[in-house]
Amino acid sequence: MRIVLMGPPGAGKGTQAKRLVEKFGFVHLSSGDIFRAEKASGSALGATLAEYMSAGKLIPDEVVVEMMAKAITAADAKGTGLMLDGFPRTVPQGEALDKQLAAAGKPLDGVVVITCDDAPIISRITGRRSCPKCGRVYHVQYLKPKDDGVCDDCAGIELVQRSDDNEEVVRDRLKAYYAQTEPVIEYYRKSGQVKVVEVDGNGTPDSVTEVLAEAVGNLT
Ligand code: AP5
């Protein structure tokens, strides 16, 4: 199964994708994680990506499409299904993805949108912390680790905050979402080629997982 997971920043895409992977066995491909890994590698490309990310702006389509096409080909070769998180984020990215999947004869099975109001998004994003070793995501209030500031799974590793997780940048990320990414949902709806479902992401993490897992199960 190949699924695109969409939603505004902080809707819970990364949190929920990890839970869905455990249930359905997909490969979870997060464009944000791929770009952050490139940034951490210290490459010239990573430095360019970082400029866009720290400003809350979208990285240019041609760069994104090339990097994601390679990652998708490698991940899809595993044959366990794909959950794309954060890509596509513009209509041209959606068109490029459709072209790649059509050429491989492996179309999308569904687009799942996690909706969320703006107010909880700000507090979710500013309170997010993650483990620099395993990537597990926590929240200072809503999803706390057992010991303050330390990963539950990696003994002694201190949690960190993403550099783009401050209120000013989140507001810019939200603007980019409404202007450039929401039209992608309409693009898929109009295509009539793929099921588009919306799940309310305003509830607790566990209640969202329950509804989301049912929605994904119904796509098969
Ligand atoms: P990316 O990393 O994709 O960030 P994003 O889309 O802004 O999404 P987030 O990771 O912030 O949120 P999420 O929905 O995964 O929330 P999470 O589950 O962590 O992109 C970063 C940047 O990279 C972009 O700004 C852009 O510059 C660039 N980029 C990436 N892809 C691109 C593309 N295709 N084209 C161009 N540029 C691109 O949850 C957030 C917090 O809330 C956590 O602390 C979590 O514990 C908590 N939480 C989760 N669910 C709940 C809940 N139900 N209740 C309470 N708390 C919750």
Side-chain angles (χ1 to χ4, degrees):
M1 188 159 34
R2 279 164 215 83
I3 292 173
V4 167
L5 190 60
M6 296 184 66
K13 302 181 295 296
T15 302
Q16 297 298 337
K18 287 195 171 57
R19 296 175 179 203
L20 293 172
V21 162
E22 278 169 25
K23 187 171 169 63
F24 293 98
F26 310 124
V27 177
H28 170 212
L29 216 51
S30 153
S31 53
D33 286 350
I34 290 170
F35 302 149
R36 279 184 287 279
E38 187 66 41
K39 178 184 156 191
S41 76
S43 70
L45 172 61
T48 306
L49 301 179
E51 282 177 29
Y52 290 94
M53 294 167 85
S54 59
K57 292 197 168 78
L58 294 190
I59 295 162
D61 287 338
E62 55 277 18
V63 180
V64 172
V65 167
E66 192 184 333
M67 289 180 75
M68 292 306 294
K70 281 186 203 150
I72 289 167
T73 303
D76 210 23
K78 294 185 181 151
T80 56
L82 261 187
M83 172 147 277
L84 296 174
D85 160 8
F87 177 82
R89 232 169 167 111
T90 64
V91 171
Q93 289 180 20
E95 290 166 346
L97 175 64
D98 282 352
K99 217 166 146 188
Q100 179 180 0
L101 295 180
K106 297 170 170 178
L108 282 179
D109 295 285
V111 174
V112 182
V113 185
I114 306 180
T115 61
C116 193
D117 299 336
D118 286 0
I121 283 176
I122 305 292
S123 63
R124 284 185 191 185
I125 291 282
T126 52
R128 172 167 49 191
R129 302 290 183 273
S130 55
C131 174
K133 191 170 175 203
C134 71
R136 184 163 168 185
V137 174
Y138 300 86
H139 190 280
V140 293
Q141 193 183 345
Y142 312 128
L143 279 168
K144 292 182 179 181
K146 288 187 194 112
D147 294 321
D148 254 6
V150 178
C151 182
D152 291 352
D153 300 331
C154 308
I157 301 289
E158 289 192 9
L159 304 180
V160 295
Q161 186 169 22
R162 264 169 55 176
S163 58
D164 57 343
D165 275 355
N166 59 72
E167 189 165 342
E168 196 190 338
V169 176
V170 174
R171 293 201 184 279
D172 287 335
R173 284 159 58 193
L174 269 175
K175 277 187 208 152
Y177 178 77
Y178 292 124
Q180 292 166 276
T181 306
E182 266 199 344
V184 181
I185 302 170
E186 204 43 39
Y187 163 78
Y188 281 122
R189 281 211 176 97
K190 276 195 185 146
S191 79
Q193 302 292 310
V194 60
K195 287 184 200 167
V196 179
V197 288
E198 278 191 14
V199 169
D200 183 356
N202 286 289
T204 62
D206 289 348
S207 68
V208 176
T209 306
E210 203 177 308
V211 182
L212 195 58
E214 196 185 336
V216 170
N218 287 339
L219 290 172
T220 50

